[in-house]
Amino acid sequence: MTNSSPRPVALVTGASRGIGQAIAQRLAATHDLVLVARHADLLAAVARACEAAGATVQTLALDLRDGVAAAAALSGLQVDVLVNNAGVAVLKPFLDMTAEEWNRQVDVNVNALYHVTRAVLPGMVQRGRGHVCIIGSTAGRNTFVGGTCYTGTKHFVMGFAESLMLEVRDAGIGVSVITPGSVATELFPEGTNTAWMLEPENIADAVAFAVTAPPHMLVHRLEVRPLSPKRPRSSF
């Protein structure tokens, strides 16, 4: 993909729903988009909404656990902003967690982060500009029962992001990690009270703030929380 447009190009993973969908639609006003997720039909619906907001959109139906497929599809793309949003969570006690559930979280939350970033970062370095934004979690600095794997992967995100930032900042590349608290998405079981939680659009606003900061300024870590679990959003 060659960017002949004056608009910067943002690649968003996990863009078919939830936080990724909100990020895509938030950036559509200012960026052309490459949207990545597993389900082509869901991606197509998000793409239509983004095109209506003025973006040129390319969709890629990919399972990012497949490093070979990710490299083949993403290497060579001229991407100005990479938003590593794709993630999964299986929240249950360690002794109840299957090997498949463990490996799926590591593959999506950790290994896919490598596959995607490794594919597009060389182009950013070559051009001397770019921004890598990763959606982390407050679970990246705390723990909870049932989070042995999930919190482990989010702790990884924090270490990865800071190390990468130190490696590439002199090449003109910014690295940000957005760490939300509870967000009302499909992560939570049916019946969970989500009325007090952040909305996906709040995280999209945080991403937009980080990636549109002045070139000399880096928003490296940005934590976003619901104000209070005792007050629904509608009370404000």
Side-chain angles (χ1 to χ4, degrees):
M1 176 180 176
T2 301
N3 180 19
S4 59
S5 167
R7 289 162 57 104
V9 174
L11 188 159
V12 183
T13 68
S16 62
R17 58 186 178 181
I19 293 173
Q21 177 181 354
I23 292 169
Q25 294 181 185
R26 176 66 174 79
L27 295 181
T30 53
H31 292 68
D32 291 333
L33 299 169
V34 180
L35 304 182
V36 179
R38 287 182 301 160
H39 301 293
D41 54 341
L42 296 178
L43 273 179
V46 177
R48 288 192 292 272
C50 293
E51 287 167 346
T56 298
V57 182
Q58 177 182 1
T59 61
L60 296 171
L62 286 173
D63 185 341
L64 294 176
R65 294 175 296 179
D66 185 339
V68 174
L74 303 178
S75 295
L77 292 182
Q78 292 191 23
V79 174
D80 301 289
V81 174
L82 166 61
V83 184
N84 280 305
N85 165 73
V88 296
V90 179
L91 308 181
K92 60 171 61 175
F94 175 76
L95 291 178
D96 294 337
M97 189 174 300
T98 67
E100 187 279 330
E101 291 169 334
W102 181 279
N103 291 332
R104 177 158 50 94
Q105 292 177 91
V106 172
D107 283 343
V108 176
N109 298 355
V110 175
N111 295 334
L113 182 59
Y114 168 83
H115 298 320
V116 177
T117 307
R118 186 63 182 82
V120 304
L121 185 61
M124 292 183 179
V125 172
Q126 183 180 24
R127 294 186 296 277
R129 66 182 188 276
H131 201 119
V132 178
C133 185
I134 307 166
I135 306 304
S137 170
T138 53
R141 65 176 184 80
N142 58 34
T143 58
F144 54 86
V145 173
T148 51
C149 187
Y150 179 74
T151 63
T153 64
K154 293 305 181 180
H155 277 71
F156 172 90
V157 164
M158 300 300 281
F160 171 80
E162 186 161 357
S163 296
L164 186 66
M165 178 269 291
L166 295 174
E167 291 183 16
V168 301
R169 61 182 177 177
D170 290 340
I173 315 303
V175 178
S176 301
V177 57
I178 311 299
T179 58
S182 298
V183 185
T185 67
E186 296 177 354
L187 172 68
F188 294 95
E190 186 176 353
T192 300
N193 175 22
T194 61
W196 58 274
M197 295 182 182
L198 294 167
E199 295 178 290
E201 291 76 14
N202 303 140
I203 313 311
D205 286 341
V207 170
F209 174 74
V211 304
T212 60
H216 66 281
M217 168 185 161
L218 175 63
V219 179
H220 174 59
R221 292 189 181 181
L222 181 55
E223 184 169 304
V224 187
R225 288 176 171 267
L227 180 62
S228 170
K230 297 180 179 179
R231 298 187 65 179
R233 294 185 300 270
S234 60
S235 68
F236 294 97

